[in-house]
Amino acid sequence: MNPFNSTIEYLLSLPPPTILSQHILPWMVKNNFISSQCFIDNIHTAIYVAFFYQVCFLVANHIIFPPLAALTSTHNQKKLVNQSAVHFVSVIQTAIVLKLSIDCLLSEHYHARFAEPALRIFGVDEETMAIATFALGYFIWDIYISMVYSTFPFVIHAVVSTVVFCIGMKPYIQYYGCVFLMFELSNPFLNIRWFVMKYLTGSDDSKLTRWIQLINNLCLMTVFFLARIVWGWWQIANLAYDFWLVRHDPRFLPLGSSAILLGNLVLDILNVVWFTTMCKVAVKTIRGGAK
């Protein structure tokens, strides 16, 4: 087993800490804060995942990027190091969730397991729970890191995503976990763009650097549009239709379903706003109005 898969398996196999399993969770169950056994059985893994990403951030922040930032001409090297560490974690998270999600989507078992609307809404298996757990762990970490180093729209994105995947841990709509995580397909191009701009772009830009930027930016806009807008709006329509078909099932959660649809709608609108911004920057660049 390669180190990448070993890390995933290791995090999934860690037992819950005693204070969580014997004190915090029983207290939350007793006071009706949580009732789902699936959530109780897996929340510790999401917490471990959040800590794992924080360790990656600290390693990047204190070891990997300080010497690289020192080679640049930027005056605010501390800010560059912090932002570089955030993007470094994004690279790792994207690789993990895309591997888990694509493996799931390409699995015949996955499509057979969730063939009916009720199964897509209420069904769960080991693979979909692993995806939900890793996604929740990242977005828990993302709330903290966005509040410290990013802007308000990214905080909204992190909070909404955390709420959606918390509901998904019940389990609920786990079929759609890997479906909506296809949004992450645009992240590699976004991170490449950012690192090239911060570490390779300057007064002595080479022709190769400019071509890398151009090709990557075209790929970013294309994949962003297809994965986050075309795929995203299509899948939220599918999810809404599945909710409608199972609305009379006693397991149906009207409030949770409304929160999920509203949260996904907010994310889809944010994606349209961000794509519009990309287009405006691209037009300015073509016209020579922006570097």
Side-chain angles (χ1 to χ4, degrees), residues 31 33 40 56 66 101 106 141 188 210 218 226 229 252 263 268 276:
N31 290 276
F33 288 108
I40 293 170
C56 294
S101 298
L106 295 179
W141 176 84
R210 292 194 295 271
L218 290 174
L226 293 175
I229 296 177
F252 181 67
D268 286 337
T276 302

Side-chain angles (χ1 to χ4, degrees), residues 183 186 218-233 271-272 275-276 278-279:
F183 283 8
S186 64
L218 290 174
C219 290
L220 168 61
M221 293 186 67
T222 301
V223 174
F224 191 101
F225 177 75
L226 293 175
R228 290 180 176 261
I229 296 177
V230 175
W231 176 264
W233 284 93
N271 287 329
V272 172
F275 183 73
T276 302
M278 290 183 195
C279 292

Side-chain angles (χ1 to χ4, degrees), residues 83-84 86-88 90-91 93-94 98 138 150 154 157 183-199 212-213 215-224 228 271 274-275 277-278:
Q83 292 177 334
S84 299
V86 172
H87 282 270
F88 177 77
S90 175
V91 170
Q93 182 265 348
T94 298
L98 283 181
Y138 173 77
S150 196
F154 287 96
H157 180 280
F183 283 8
E184 305 296 289
L185 284 169
S186 64
N187 279 5
F189 304 103
L190 183 65
N191 287 317
I192 290 171
R193 178 180 185 273
W194 190 89
F195 281 114
V196 169
M197 287 176 62
K198 297 299 181 182
Y199 288 96
I212 291 174
Q213 287 178 297
I215 294 171
N216 184 73
N217 288 346
L218 290 174
C219 290
L220 168 61
M221 293 186 67
T222 301
V223 174
F224 191 101
R228 290 180 176 261
N271 287 329
W274 286 328
F275 183 73
T277 301
M278 290 183 195

Side-chain angles (χ1 to χ4, degrees), residues 17-210:
T18 302
I19 188 173
L20 182 67
S21 61
Q22 296 187 11
H23 299 283
I24 297 176
L25 289 175
W27 179 84
M28 295 182 73
V29 171
K30 181 179 179 180
N31 290 276
N32 298 317
F33 288 108
I34 54 175
S35 59
S36 167
Q37 190 60 46
C38 279
F39 187 92
I40 293 170
D41 291 341
N42 292 278
I43 186 60
H44 68 279
T45 304
I47 295 172
Y48 287 139
V49 170
F51 277 110
F52 166 72
Y53 286 129
Q54 180 62 11
V55 170
C56 294
F57 174 81
L58 292 175
V59 169
N61 192 263
H62 295 287
I63 298 175
I64 298 175
F65 288 104
L68 296 177
L71 299 176
T72 67
S73 59
T74 180
H75 296 292
N76 195 340
Q77 292 185 3
K78 183 177 180 180
K79 181 179 180 181
L80 176 60
V81 169
N82 290 336
Q83 292 177 334
S84 299
V86 172
H87 282 270
F88 177 77
V89 175
S90 175
V91 170
I92 296 173
Q93 182 265 348
T94 298
I96 291 175
V97 298
L98 283 181
K99 181 195 182 302
L100 292 173
S101 298
I102 291 173
D103 285 350
C104 196
L105 285 170
L106 295 179
S107 167
E108 293 182 5
H109 166 75
Y110 166 79
H111 295 285
R113 175 70 179 82
F114 300 101
E116 301 296 328
L119 295 174
R120 291 194 289 272
I121 301 301
F122 309 114
V124 61
D125 62 17
E126 185 177 341
E127 289 76 19
T128 59
M129 182 57 76
I131 292 169
T133 302
F134 267 89
L136 177 60
Y138 173 77
F139 288 121
I140 290 172
W141 176 84
D142 196 33
I143 291 176
Y144 155 73
I145 216 68
S146 296
M147 291 175 65
V148 177
Y149 296 111
S150 196
T151 57
F152 185 64
F154 287 96
V155 176
I156 293 176
H157 180 280
V159 170
V160 169
S161 299
T162 299
V163 170
V164 169
F165 279 99
C166 275
I167 297 172
M169 293 277 284
K170 284 185 173 291
Y172 204 65
I173 69 161
Q174 288 215 355
Y175 164 85
Y176 283 97
C178 57
V179 169
F180 285 111
L181 284 171
M182 287 299 100
F183 283 8
E184 305 296 289
L185 284 169
S186 64
N187 279 5
F189 304 103
L190 183 65
N191 287 317
I192 290 171
R193 178 180 185 273
W194 190 89
F195 281 114
V196 169
M197 287 176 62
K198 297 299 181 182
Y199 288 96
L200 296 181
T201 302
S203 57
D204 57 343
D205 287 357
S206 67
K207 187 174 182 179
L208 176 61
T209 300
R210 292 194 295 271

